[in-house]
Amino acid sequence: MKAKQRRQAEAPAGEQAKKREGGANFEALTQTIEEKILKTVHDLYTKDKDGLVAIGNGVKVELQPPRKKVSVMICGNHSSGKSSFVNWYVGENVQKTGVAIETQGVTFVQNGKRRETLQGPATVSLYPQLRDIAKEKGVLENLCTELSISTERKFGLVTFIDTPGLVDGTTQYPFDVFKVIKFFADQADLIFVFFDPIGQALCTRTMKAVGLLNQEYPERVRYFLSKADDVVSQTDLNKVMVQITQNLSMVVRNKNFDLQTIYLPSEERKSNVPNCISDLCKTIEKTINFTVQRTLDDLERDCNALVVAIDRKLADNDRTSAENSRARNRGVGFGLLALTSLLMVFLAFA
């Protein structure tokens, strides 16, 4: 009877273990080679006792574990299609969209084991590097993370950072919006700036943000005229492109920048406007490939640094051991000399 009860109690635990194993197998099957490389290298660094970070601490070499994803920050004027693009890339409506100012805070969007929304404190737990900015007035309560199980495109390797839509006028943000944008730009591998072709593309706040980003991270910034299929004629499109380009030229140091037209592909809605959204996706893929190569290079460099530090410590230990051995030998010699001297004195007076 007791054995039967024990088997019944153990059954749920066994089923849970099978579910966990099945989930791990599914994850392994759906992961791309880039995901596997970045995860494996990250695990090499972060193992508790024998990870590279722990080994480095033992020989006074400070190592930082690599990130497992590429961060893409998206900023731009209100209604420029930032959230709509994220939804399209993910293949799921994880972000609210519409003509109202939906994005007053900062939203992280990344792959997860289940569909879930994390509020400010949980987001900071997921991204410890946000602890400092989360202390700023109004940030924590306007910070969240959207997790999705989607495996569309390269989403498993990307974290999107969707920033507040920028508008002029009396609109007030719950935090210092430029300080927050600059902070997250510092965390990002890529920065996409979206301009809406109708209305707010040239707003002062957007151009001020572009100027700040260009001063610090010009090599990371890419510029896009989003919703380009909303423009009625080629003449109107040319006017919008010229206006935005002229305004960008005032705040962008590199005058050879590209302003590409993009819009969400649709079978129902055809347009003759060139759509560079596939080039945008390729930019993300190139950054992922570069990150993988850089991670492997950093792994080799860190391993070499550990080998040098370990060899140095072993040499120091050998040297210390030899000095201790010589000190012991000298002690024994002095002891024998003292004993011999005492014996000679004893014999002299005997």
Side-chain angles (χ1 to χ4, degrees):
M1 184 66 179
K2 290 182 179 180
K4 182 178 180 181
Q5 291 175 343
R6 186 169 61 251
R7 285 195 300 273
Q8 290 176 344
E10 291 173 351
E15 290 174 3
Q16 290 177 2
K18 288 181 180 179
K19 287 181 180 179
R20 286 195 298 269
E21 183 179 352
N25 291 336
F26 176 77
E27 184 179 2
L29 289 171
T30 57
Q31 281 183 335
T32 64
I33 185 65
E34 295 93 346
E35 286 179 88
K36 291 177 181 178
I37 290 173
L38 293 179
K39 183 179 185 304
T40 300
V41 174
H42 185 271
D43 291 344
L44 286 174
Y45 278 82
T46 56
K47 287 181 181 178
D48 287 340
K49 295 182 179 179
D50 55 355
L52 296 181
V53 172
I55 295 172
N57 291 337
V59 292
K60 298 182 179 179
V61 175
E62 184 177 353
L63 301 179
Q64 295 294 331
R67 288 185 293 179
K68 293 186 287 186
K69 298 176 184 291
V70 166
S71 295
V72 179
M73 189 186 89
I74 308 178
C75 72
N77 63 278
H78 155 60
S79 77
S80 61
K82 299 185 281 65
S83 298
S84 296
F85 166 75
V86 171
N87 290 342
W88 172 80
Y89 192 94
V90 174
E92 182 181 356
N93 290 330
V94 294
Q95 286 283 73
K96 293 180 180 179
T97 60
V99 294
I101 303 178
E102 298 289 358
T103 310
Q104 276 270 325
V106 178
T107 303
F108 285 75
V109 181
Q110 74 164 54
N111 181 267
K113 294 183 178 179
R114 61 178 179 271
R115 180 72 181 94
E116 188 175 5
T117 299
L118 306 179
Q119 300 304 325
T123 295
V124 175
S125 295
L126 185 62
Y127 305 102
Q129 68 270 24
L130 305 184
R131 287 172 184 158
D132 289 339
I133 196 66
K135 296 175 184 176
E136 296 288 330
K137 180 183 176 181
V139 173
L140 186 62
E141 52 268 39
N142 289 283
L143 192 63
C144 74
T145 299
E146 298 290 349
L147 299 177
S148 169
I149 62 173
S150 171
T151 56
E152 288 288 315
R153 299 177 179 85
K154 296 289 185 178
F155 180 55
L157 284 160
V158 179
T159 297
F160 287 110
I161 307 172
D162 193 1
T163 60
L166 299 172
V167 294
D168 286 337
T170 59
T171 301
Q172 297 294 318
Y173 294 88
F175 44 74
D176 184 336
V177 68
F178 296 113
K179 183 174 183 179
V180 166
I181 286 176
K182 187 174 182 298
F183 175 86
F184 287 110
D186 190 58
Q187 311 287 319
D189 298 287
L190 279 173
I191 301 168
F192 291 162
V193 181
F194 283 12
F195 297 99
D196 179 9
I198 300 174
Q200 296 287 334
L202 303 178
C203 86
T204 303
R205 277 178 169 149
T206 301
M207 287 302 166
K208 181 178 179 180
V210 170
L212 290 172
L213 296 173
N214 191 260
Q215 286 178 5
E216 299 288 338
Y217 321 103
E219 73 287 349
R220 305 181 196 176
V221 185
R222 306 290 186 275
Y223 306 100
F224 300 96
L225 178 66
S226 59
K227 297 184 178 181
D229 56 337
D230 284 348
V231 182
V232 177
S233 68
Q234 185 64 45
T235 302
D236 291 338
L237 178 63
N238 291 340
K239 288 181 180 178
V240 172
M241 294 284 285
V242 169
Q243 287 178 337
I244 296 176
T245 300
Q246 287 176 342
N247 279 266
L248 282 176
S249 298
M250 297 178 187
V251 294
V252 174
R253 286 183 295 177
N254 180 9
K255 306 307 178 184
N256 296 321
F257 63 85
D258 288 327
L259 177 63
Q260 295 182 306
T261 53
I262 62 169
Y263 51 91
L264 303 185
S266 172
E267 291 294 331
E268 294 79 20
R269 186 175 179 179
K270 301 296 183 181
S271 175
N272 293 324
V273 176
N275 192 359
C276 300
I277 200 165
S278 60
D279 294 333
L280 182 155
C281 294
K282 288 178 183 176
T283 299
I284 295 176
E285 291 179 20
K286 288 178 181 178
T287 303
I288 290 170
N289 294 335
F290 174 78
T291 300
V292 170
Q293 186 57 57
R294 183 182 61 194
T295 298
L296 293 174
D297 291 342
D298 289 347
L299 174 63
E300 182 180 12
R301 181 202 63 204
D302 290 344
C303 287
N304 289 335
L306 287 178
V307 168
V308 171
I310 290 170
D311 286 344
R312 187 185 302 119
K313 186 167 185 178
L314 289 174
D316 290 343
N317 289 341
D318 289 343
R319 189 161 47 251
T320 301
S321 178
E323 290 174 356
N324 290 339
S325 178
R326 285 195 294 271
R328 285 195 298 271
N329 291 337
R330 285 196 297 270
V332 171
F334 287 139
L336 291 174
L337 181 60
L339 182 60
T340 303
S341 299
L342 288 172
L343 182 59
M344 292 178 64
V345 170
F346 176 78
L347 293 175
F349 287 95

